[in-house]
Amino acid sequence: MHDLEKARQRMIGTPEAARQALAPAGFSALAMEAMLRATPDLLLPGHAGIEPLAAQRRSCGLLGADFTYEQLVDTSALPGG
């Protein structure tokens, strides 16, 4: 996760370096730009993304619907986690 976070930061901080790394892998300019635009602000899933999943589990009567965000999201693998 640490390396993925470093790569995410590089893509945001130095997009030209990201383009230079992606081009030899065969990505088109259009694909590279789409990837750069889609780079997330954080690797940590947000509450807004977790809540609908819990609601769906509740509506289906599935186990685990009563878990909290803190119980579901393990931040220990992230920098500072």
Side-chain angles (χ1 to χ4, degrees):
M1 288 299 289
H2 290 277
D3 289 341
L4 187 57
E5 173 60 14
K6 285 193 289 188
R8 186 198 67 78
Q9 288 176 4
R10 276 194 310 268
M11 286 183 76
I12 290 172
T14 54
E16 189 52 41
R19 286 181 194 92
Q20 290 174 4
L22 293 169
F27 290 99
S28 69
L30 208 57
M32 287 187 283
E33 293 310 312
M35 291 170 74
L36 289 170
R37 281 192 309 277
T39 303
D41 293 331
L42 297 169
L43 293 179
L44 188 66
H47 286 270
I50 297 295
E51 295 301 328
L53 296 175
Q56 184 178 29
R57 292 185 74 80
R58 277 192 296 280
S59 72
C60 294
L62 297 173
L63 295 174
D66 57 345
F67 286 127
T68 65
Y69 176 87
E70 289 74 20
Q71 290 171 309
L72 289 172
V73 178
D74 178 10
T75 61
S76 64
L78 295 172

